[in-house]
Amino acid sequence: MNNIWLGIETSCDDTACAVLRNNGDSIDILSNCLYSQIDEHKAWGGVVPELASRAHLEKIVPVLQQALKEANINIEDIGQIAYTQSPGLMGSLLVGINFARGLAKDLNIKSYGINHLKGHISSALLNSPLSTLNSPLLALIVSGGHTELVLTKENAIVGKTRDDAAGEAFDKSGKILGLGYPAGAAISKLAKSGDKNFHEFPRALNEANSFDFSFSGLKTAVLRYVQTKGEDFVKEHIADICASLQEAIADILSLKAVNAAKKYGVENLILCGGVSANYRLRELMAQRAEKSGLNFICPPPELCTDNGAMIAAAAIFTNFS
């Protein structure tokens, strides 16, 4: 079978295509191209589904062409296609699904629908020995729409958010602080020069045997804090507030993930999803994992956000090839 894979990701507001080569014992990323729709959605303070699907229609062919060019291959060299099937915005998903299936039919090759969350988990394993796939893994998936703890072998969710996802907590709190959309990167940048102990924001569901998360109360706490302190105070101490907010999120996420890994006897702890690019979360997870004797696995920042490489990798790891 041809070992060249095309991965297509259009679940939300990133149009992504990647070309991977499966060598059997390793995987090479030949290209990983992406068009971000941040500018299209920034004025609205969040992703507008209709705008997202229209942008995917406009950009998917140029992104594919760029991926083929960077991989230095022709479209006929593709052996199989993997695409995001779910979860995601319906209109956005349909663009990628129909494009992938149509292209596969035209090339007379097979195409495979992949779960978006499985893609994020696979992104963390791309730089790990393939033997790691056969060992027990616990993955913390953190993004704008998802916060889940998953035992990969059993495909079992052992913890999840009861309301807002971690990424939502960053974005909604950032909006309250006047940082615009998306706010996660802005908060992280400001936090580097701030005091994480400046103010203690709440850690919800901080119970020994609970692996669920809740971030809606954190957003409310930020709002009340801003209302109480006033605009001038917030502007003066914005870096400290961001550092304290970031610490609250990173603290509870890393604490529950490590505790869950210990409870279920898992040695390999994965951190993945868009929020996994946050430096403090990565740092705290790594520290707590090492202290508990866990092997910490996290993708490089360029593979944390939605991308085509993770979708193709998930198909390869599923042994479709």
Side-chain angles (χ1 to χ4, degrees):
M1 180 180 286
N2 188 323
N3 65 347
I4 301 296
W5 281 82
L6 171 65
I8 297 175
E9 155 62 27
T10 63
S11 65
C12 190
D13 60 338
D14 289 323
T15 310
C17 293
V19 178
L20 272 61
R21 181 172 56 225
N22 179 14
N23 300 312
D25 58 351
S26 64
I27 298 171
D28 295 330
I29 301 176
L30 304 183
S31 67
N32 193 25
C33 300
L34 178 146
Y35 173 77
S36 173
Q37 300 178 12
I38 287 177
D39 289 341
E40 282 91 337
H41 302 285
K42 186 177 293 185
W44 305 96
V47 177
V48 180
E50 181 62 23
L51 292 180
S53 56
R54 288 181 183 180
H56 286 307
L57 282 169
E58 294 173 0
K59 299 298 181 180
I60 193 165
V61 171
V63 173
L64 171 60
Q65 291 172 335
Q66 183 64 28
L68 295 174
K69 181 179 179 180
E70 290 189 11
N72 195 29
I73 66 168
N74 297 315
I75 197 165
E76 293 81 10
D77 295 325
I78 297 171
Q80 41 272 318
I81 300 173
Y83 59 88
T84 303
Q85 182 170 271
S86 66
L89 300 176
M90 185 56 66
S92 294
L93 286 169
L94 285 173
V95 174
I97 291 170
N98 290 328
F99 183 79
R101 289 177 177 175
L103 181 59
K105 185 175 182 180
D106 187 53
L107 296 173
N108 194 29
I109 59 177
K110 291 183 178 181
S111 63
Y112 303 91
I114 297 297
N115 182 282
H116 176 78
L117 302 183
K118 187 172 183 179
H120 275 306
I121 295 172
S122 298
S123 72
L125 297 170
L126 268 168
N127 294 325
S128 299
L130 294 185
S131 58
T132 307
L133 287 169
N134 300 318
S135 59
L137 300 165
L138 177 73
L140 172 61
I141 308 170
V142 280
S143 66
H146 303 277
T147 301
E148 296 179 1
L149 280 166
V150 180
L151 283 170
T152 61
K153 287 293 233 181
E154 296 82 355
N155 196 27
I157 298 174
V158 298
K160 62 182 179 179
T161 182
R162 297 183 183 179
D163 38 64
D164 291 349
E168 286 180 279
F170 274 116
D171 286 337
K172 291 178 179 179
S173 297
K175 187 175 182 179
I176 293 169
L177 295 170
L179 299 178
Y181 173 86
I187 290 173
S188 180
K189 184 177 181 180
L190 286 165
K192 288 184 177 181
S193 60
D195 177 7
K196 66 180 185 294
N197 299 313
F198 182 75
H199 179 75
E200 186 171 347
F201 286 109
R203 279 75 159 160
L205 303 180
N206 191 7
E207 304 157 1
N209 295 317
S210 172
F211 301 124
D212 282 347
F213 304 93
S214 174
F215 293 106
S216 63
L218 176 59
K219 170 196 63 183
T220 302
V222 172
L223 176 61
R224 289 177 177 172
Y225 184 78
V226 168
Q227 290 173 338
T228 301
K229 295 297 184 178
E231 186 176 338
D232 291 340
F233 179 91
V234 171
K235 286 183 178 179
E236 181 181 354
H237 298 284
I238 187 64
D240 296 322
I241 296 171
C242 286
S244 300
L245 169 63
Q246 177 179 259
E247 190 68 12
I249 296 173
D251 182 34
I252 198 68
L253 285 172
S254 58
L255 180 66
K256 285 177 177 283
V258 169
N259 285 343
K262 290 192 290 186
K263 177 179 178 179
Y264 291 100
V266 174
E267 295 182 359
N268 297 290
L269 179 60
I270 292 174
L271 172 64
C272 58
V275 179
S276 67
N278 180 274
Y279 77 91
R280 180 54 182 161
L281 176 57
R282 296 166 77 95
E283 180 180 67
L284 201 51
M285 283 276 286
Q287 290 173 355
R288 284 179 163 164
E290 182 180 13
K291 188 175 180 180
S292 298
L294 302 171
N295 178 36
F296 178 61
I297 306 171
C298 188
E302 63 269 19
L303 292 179
C304 289
T305 56
D306 296 348
N307 63 87
M310 72 183 197
I311 301 303
I316 295 171
F317 293 150
T318 309
N319 295 318
F320 283 138
S321 57

